[in-house]
Amino acid sequence: MRQNASGPRPAALTALVAAVLGLAAAGLIVANQGLATDSPVADGDASGHYAQPKAQGDETAEAMRSAVRSENGTAPIKPASSGGTDPLPTSDPLRATESAPSPAVGPLFYTGQGAPGHGCSASVVHSPKGDLIVTAAHCVYQDGFRTDIAFVPGYRDGVAPYGVWVPASVDLDPEWAADRDPDHDVAFLRVRRPGADTRAIEQVTGAERIRFRPPVGQQARVTGYPVTEERPVSCQNATKSFSPTQLRFDCADLPNGTSGGPFLTDVDPATGLGTVNGVVGGHDEGGDEETSYSSYFGDGVEALYRRATTAG
């Protein structure tokens, strides 16, 4: 495992990584880019919607105290937009490397099996209420909706600069719930911050835009959090068409944990915010360490987004 460049890990981080490696040794990390566990789950309704009880989310947030240090009130001020976009030159060599955290991207932690550990990634996307994140469906639904999820935007080295957020509701396509259809490996979560702070996440971190029916062949940046690392990795390349319902992104070293990470285009170099065109998932639930995939953000994903933003 590659160690932190900044020096020894805090004890809590060492325990966290040990727990994740223990899951790997037990065969619980699957051979794709997410985490598969025997986790606490709940039934949603037939439409693929789950409203998480407040007490459940509060319990998850409390469990996260052992995993991250919050810097509430001290998060860096988001820079103003440059008004331009990064050309996103293709990575050379074509492999993911450690990158600076982005305020709207973070890992999904799971707390239901002892020491919390992160196993997927997600990003904040613009919505009318400012409370939406997007990830892969296989990160939040495994024979039921996971009830032990926490999102930590901008996470790095055990620090949660923008706090810990838990789901208020989760929406995915019922075709994913029925048979893990790779063309529907997308989920939207409305999130909240337990405690007195009632601001929507978009007010705190900013948000990526989201694009439906994106053109293929655009330069994109894919970012995610490997399960054994406490900082994100990123890679840049042009997207390709794998099929009419799947995007392909060729780049090595986007391993377990990067599932749900965004395919970003039109990235503002000042803010790091861009436009989500896909998330690591889809074919083979994300692919392997050479190639990543995404369910195509077509009409079905747009309908799912509309449902998630209006759900109670």
Side-chain angles (χ1 to χ4, degrees), residues 104 106 108 121-126 131-137 140 151 171 185-191 208-210 212 259-263 276-279 297 301 304-305:
L108 292 180
S121 304
S123 55
V124 183
V125 290
H126 176 66
D131 60 356
L132 202 66
I133 68 173
V134 64
T135 187
V140 300
F151 175 59
D171 281 273
D185 194 5
V186 180
F188 292 98
L189 290 69
R190 290 177 64 176
V191 296
E208 319 286 3
R209 299 173 296 276
I210 188 166
F212 305 107
S259 271
F263 285 37
V276 177
N277 288 252
V279 296
F297 276 23
V301 175
L304 181 64
Y305 169 87

Side-chain angles (χ1 to χ4, degrees), residues 30-299:
V30 297
N32 56 40
Q33 291 155 299
L35 181 72
T37 65
D38 297 324
S39 58
V41 297
D43 294 330
D45 63 31
S47 72
H49 175 77
Y50 174 63
Q52 179 160 290
K54 183 176 183 294
Q56 216 167 49
D58 290 347
E59 181 180 350
T60 296
E62 182 63 29
M64 286 293 293
R65 291 180 182 273
S66 67
V68 301
R69 303 187 308 279
S70 181
E71 293 187 349
N72 295 350
T74 62
I77 297 173
K78 296 188 296 297
S81 171
S82 69
T85 58
D86 190 323
L88 302 178
T90 298
S91 297
D92 184 17
L94 197 55
R95 59 182 60 251
T97 57
E98 184 180 300
S99 59
S102 171
V105 179
L108 292 180
F109 280 79
Y110 304 94
T111 65
Q113 295 182 302
H118 60 85
C120 275
S121 304
S123 55
V124 183
V125 290
H126 176 66
S127 65
K129 295 184 179 180
D131 60 356
L132 202 66
I133 68 173
V134 64
T135 187
H138 74 260
C139 292
V140 300
Y141 188 96
Q142 296 157 3
D143 299 321
F145 289 89
R146 294 198 65 146
T147 62
D148 62 338
I149 295 171
F151 175 59
V152 187
Y155 177 79
R156 177 173 175 170
D157 297 340
V159 175
Y162 303 98
V164 173
W165 302 75
V166 296
S169 64
V170 183
D171 281 273
L172 50 81
D173 196 295
E175 292 191 49
W176 171 263
D179 59 7
R180 302 178 77 86
D181 185 333
D183 292 342
H184 299 281
D185 194 5
V186 180
F188 292 98
L189 290 69
R190 290 177 64 176
V191 296
R192 63 180 181 86
R193 189 175 186 177
D197 190 344
T198 60
R199 288 178 296 171
I201 191 169
E202 190 170 331
Q203 294 177 279
V204 178
T205 64
E208 319 286 3
R209 299 173 296 276
I210 188 166
R211 183 169 187 176
F212 305 107
R213 295 168 294 279
V216 177
Q218 288 187 298
Q219 287 294 116
R221 175 184 297 161
V222 173
T223 298
Y225 283 77
V227 294
T228 58
E229 300 295 333
E230 303 311 306
R231 300 181 180 187
V233 297
S234 296
C235 189
Q236 297 176 176
N237 198 4
T239 61
K240 298 179 181 179
S241 177
F242 178 68
S243 75
T245 55
Q246 297 281 326
L247 288 181
R248 171 175 174 158
F249 183 86
D250 293 318
C251 179
D253 297 342
L254 285 164
N256 289 325
T258 58
S259 271
F263 285 37
L264 291 176
T265 61
D266 305 317
V267 176
D268 186 317
T271 65
L273 300 175
T275 299
V276 177
N277 288 252
V279 296
V280 178
H283 179 68
D284 285 343
E285 296 187 6
D288 54 34
E289 291 198 20
E290 296 294 329
T291 301
S292 299
Y293 301 92
S294 170
S295 304
Y296 185 71
F297 276 23
D299 294 349

